Each structure stands twice: as structure tokens, then as C-alpha cells.
Amino acid sequence: MMTDRRVLLFSPLTDRDPTSGDTSYTEALLAHPPPGVRYITYQEAIAAGTVRVRGRKPWRNPRDPSDLAIFGLRLIESGLRKCGVLFREPNWFITAQPGAFDLIHQHLFPIRQVGTRLPVVSSAGYPLSELYRFREGWSPTRARIATAGESIMARLFDVHVPWLHPVGNGVMTVYGAHFRSWLIARGVSADRILIASTALPELERSPLVSDGRTLGFIGRDFLRKGGDIAIGAFRRLHDQDPTWTMIVVTTREHAASSVDAGSGVELIVDPSREVVLREVVPRIDILLCPTRSDCGAPYGILESLQADTCVVTSTIPWLDDRLGPPSVMRVPNTVDSVVAGVQDLVRSGLSEAQSAAHELWKTEFSMSELHADLSRAYDLAIGLAST
């Protein structure tokens, strides 16, 4: 009788890590695992003792001197991260109990396995340097120096870094062809990199109740997601035709510092995800997502497509190539371009584009599509480890 593959899932958790699209990724996999896969989260494994985090308080385990050496490495690494030579996200040193797992899936987490090595599949959306440039304001030079430092450390310590460096027969999955090319240019073997983007489980949908003239912006990180560009585009359209209205969803902090609501804009602050999905998205005809920094298929876009809402988003290369017409317009993230994208959707037939939106989600971004991609990566990693 076939048994499920036991996959140790090192991926951000809602109750331990900051809420983001990456915690949504974890929740989707846990609720809808690929056929024949049983996920065990890193939190569950640590609590059960099947995974031991190494180099933390080594004096509690004096019988294993390697913990003291790892503790020293972690102190050096921590100092480099605190002074800004490296990115802040630390490497994890772990030992997995032999026989407890068949595979590790590392989503974002960089891990050095100590002792017996398990096959590894990792997933990431774009280089960490891109996030720091836009979220932290790092200069391109500083981001390049940190990336070089991370690469050196990964090679010295033999760490599998999902966005940068594989270990041994480790398999990397990325969200798109541009990221794959970026890794290949940095020396990663092409046959170790597969494309497996994000996906959205089928949600209970509320019927579209929009009026054909409602734009929307949904984003906690207002400026990085292009909220200022979205509102600027709405203002331009509203000046030309006052029947246009807009719904803006963001945090209280960003609403106070960045949003000038004004005429025609309805501002919704800090709603629950349930409220956004059931009450807000069904009122939006076109979601504006002129993001400055993003990757794959952001969940806000997927939720909109599933609800028959069209999208105008940006041409940044880290987004999934499958996001395209007739329901998604890709334009440069400028006010003029977003206005043109909205007008193109209207001219080409908004109702037809809305009808195609759900089909795009179903055929390209459903969980069954992600399952097929991940199963292929898991098969490859286990096969490579057995040779």
C-alpha cells in the first residue's frame, strides 16, 4: 500500500511570521496538499522533536560540541546582518530525525542541514535584493554587495538559499522565466530550476455587483503596491468622466500618511480578508495593481480574477508571464499607462474581459496546476537523491 510522502514544510506561518502572501502560500498548501503528500510544518516538527534547531544555547547540549561551533558561526552571521553587510533574514541550521521525513520544502527559508541530508525542493518569487531595494530603500550597489555576501556565505556554509543558491542535488522552483534566467546567469544549473508559481484555492464567491465604472486598489503596503499611481490614474479618469468611482483598501497607517481620498474615492481601512473577499472585491470592475515590486501572481490579483474582476498591473519582469489579456492588462507603472490600460479594457469590452477572468484563474492558477508543478519538483529531488 502506498503511503503519503512526508514533506517537512519550512514556510512562513501566520501565527509565527509576518502576515503576507507567503503565509497565504503556506495556508493554501496545508489546506490543499498535492495528492500523495502530507505536510508537517516546521513549528510542528520542532515541537515534536523531529527537527532540532542547531547552535541555539549550546550549553544546554554539552554532549554535542558541534553545537558550540554552529553557535559561533551564527554569532558571526548575526553581526554581519546587524551591520547591514547582509540581508536580515538568517540562515537556519537544523538536524532532522532520520526516517521522519522524505523531503524538505523550503519556501524562502535558507537552511543548512546538519547530519543526514534530506532531498530539498525550494520555492521563491524573486531575489531578496529586489525586496530590499523597494521596501527598504537600499541602493542597487548596496543590494549587489549584500547579494554577493549571501552567495559567499551560502557556498562556505553549504546552505540551500531558495532565492540564490542550491545545495548538492537540491531543486529550486521559481515563479517565472525571468527569475529562472537570473539564477542561470549566476551559475545555477538549468536542470535544477523548475517553474512553479502561486495558486489560489477555489473560494466561496459572492456574485459580481459592480456597476461597470468602479476601480479598486487593495494593498497593505500602499506605495510598494503602487497605490499612489492607482489613485493618480483614477483622478485623471474621474476628471474626464465623473461617473468613475474608486474603492481603496489599505492600512490605517498608510491611509493617514499616503491617501488623499477626495471626491469619488471610498476608503476602507484595515478590513478582514473575509470582508475584502465577500464585500469589497465583488463591487470592483477593474483592480488597479501598478506594483513597483512583486512576484509571481499576487494573491490580490488571483482573488480578483476568481471573482470576475479585471486587473491592470505593471510590466515588472518578476510577475507571472501568464497574467495577460483579455482580463489582465500589463502596463508600465505610471499614471498615464494605467489610465490607458483601463481605457483599453473598456474599449475592448469590459464584460467579455470579466467573463475571461475566472477562466484564467481556473486554467492557470488553480491548486491543481500548482500541485502538478510541485509534484514534478518533488519527484526530481527524490530521484536525484537516490542516484
Side-chain angles (χ1 to χ4, degrees):
M1 180 178 177
M2 293 287 291
T3 58
D4 286 346
R5 282 178 176 166
R6 299 157 300 170
V7 177
L8 173 60
L9 185 61
F10 258 88
S11 186
L13 299 169
T14 301
D15 56 349
R16 287 190 61 140
D17 303 296
T19 300
S20 66
D22 297 304
T23 55
S24 297
Y25 178 90
T26 308
E27 291 170 357
L29 287 183
L30 293 176
H32 305 275
V37 169
R38 178 166 66 89
Y39 286 118
I40 302 95
T41 69
Y42 76 93
Q43 184 177 23
E44 293 168 336
I46 292 171
T50 51
V51 166
R52 184 157 61 99
V53 181
R54 307 299 302 273
R56 293 181 178 178
K57 300 180 180 178
W59 48 88
R60 291 186 177 178
N61 189 29
R63 291 174 297 177
D64 192 342
S66 65
D67 264 331
L68 186 59
I70 295 168
F71 180 72
L73 290 176
R74 292 187 67 246
L75 282 178
I76 296 170
E77 177 192 347
S78 177
L80 292 172
R81 296 192 187 284
K82 285 180 180 178
C83 69
V85 176
L86 302 173
F87 302 115
R88 288 193 299 272
E89 287 71 8
N91 295 322
W92 284 59
F93 294 79
I94 68 163
T95 295
Q97 179 179 301
F101 311 101
D102 300 299
L103 177 86
I104 297 181
H105 180 158
Q106 300 172 212
H107 182 62
L108 307 187
F109 283 81
I111 293 176
R112 167 62 157 95
Q113 295 187 60
V114 181
T116 304
R117 296 287 189 97
L118 290 168
V120 175
V121 169
S122 64
S123 51
Y126 61 177
L128 203 54
S129 53
E130 291 295 308
L131 181 64
Y132 272 71
R133 283 180 58 203
F134 288 93
R135 187 185 67 187
E136 310 291 333
W138 283 26
S139 69
T141 299
R142 185 181 179 187
R144 280 196 298 270
I145 291 171
T147 299
E150 295 284 355
S151 181
I152 293 169
M153 178 170 286
R155 293 173 189 279
L156 286 176
F157 292 174
D158 205 19
V159 180
H160 186 109
V161 183
W163 62 271
L164 181 64
H165 175 72
V167 168
N169 290 328
V171 173
M172 307 177 81
T173 69
V174 295
Y175 290 172
H178 183 73
F179 192 6
R180 185 172 186 271
S181 297
W182 187 92
L183 288 168
I184 292 171
R186 281 152 185 80
V188 180
S189 176
D191 61 3
R192 297 289 192 273
I193 313 170
L194 304 181
I195 294 177
S197 189
T198 40
L200 181 70
E202 185 163 12
L203 307 172
E204 185 177 342
R205 296 199 296 159
S206 298
L208 196 66
V209 293
S210 55
D211 58 6
R213 310 297 289 173
T214 301
L215 305 177
F217 171 83
I218 301 171
R220 288 188 296 268
D221 196 340
F222 187 81
L223 293 177
R224 186 166 69 89
K225 294 287 186 177
D228 55 327
I229 300 170
I231 290 182
F234 165 73
R235 291 279 172 238
R236 189 80 54 80
L237 289 162
H238 186 263
D239 287 345
Q240 297 169 2
D241 181 353
T243 63
W244 282 106
T245 60
M246 185 174 192
I247 301 172
V248 175
V249 179
T250 191
T251 64
R252 187 170 303 280
E253 174 190 358
H254 285 294
S257 63
S258 304
V259 181
D260 177 17
S263 175
V265 174
E266 177 184 349
L267 179 61
I268 300 176
V269 175
D270 291 325
S272 68
R273 183 168 183 260
E274 187 74 10
V275 167
V276 172
L277 293 177
R278 291 186 178 277
E279 301 178 18
V280 179
V281 173
R283 296 171 54 201
I284 297 173
D285 292 290
I286 303 173
L287 179 77
L288 304 186
C289 185
T291 176
R292 293 179 168 93
S293 174
D294 232 320
C295 58
Y299 282 94
I301 290 180
L302 295 186
E303 289 160 357
S304 298
L305 293 175
Q306 195 181 103
D308 301 323
T309 297
C310 294
V311 177
V312 175
T313 191
S314 64
T315 53
I316 58 174
W318 309 103
L319 290 177
D320 196 301
D321 297 326
R322 295 172 294 176
L323 293 172
S327 51
V328 180
M329 291 293 176
R330 300 282 294 272
V331 299
N333 49 359
T334 66
V335 168
D336 288 345
S337 298
V338 173
V339 168
V342 171
Q343 292 170 334
D344 285 345
L345 276 171
V346 173
R347 268 195 302 269
S348 61
L350 184 58
S351 60
E352 291 81 1
Q354 287 173 327
S355 298
H358 185 269
E359 188 65 20
L360 176 61
W361 161 77
K362 183 178 179 180
T363 57
E364 300 291 350
F365 298 105
S366 66
M367 290 303 295
S368 62
E369 294 296 312
L370 178 59
H371 288 166
D373 292 338
L374 287 181
S375 294
R376 188 159 49 250
Y378 294 168
D379 289 343
L380 176 59
I382 290 173
L384 289 170
S386 64
T387 57

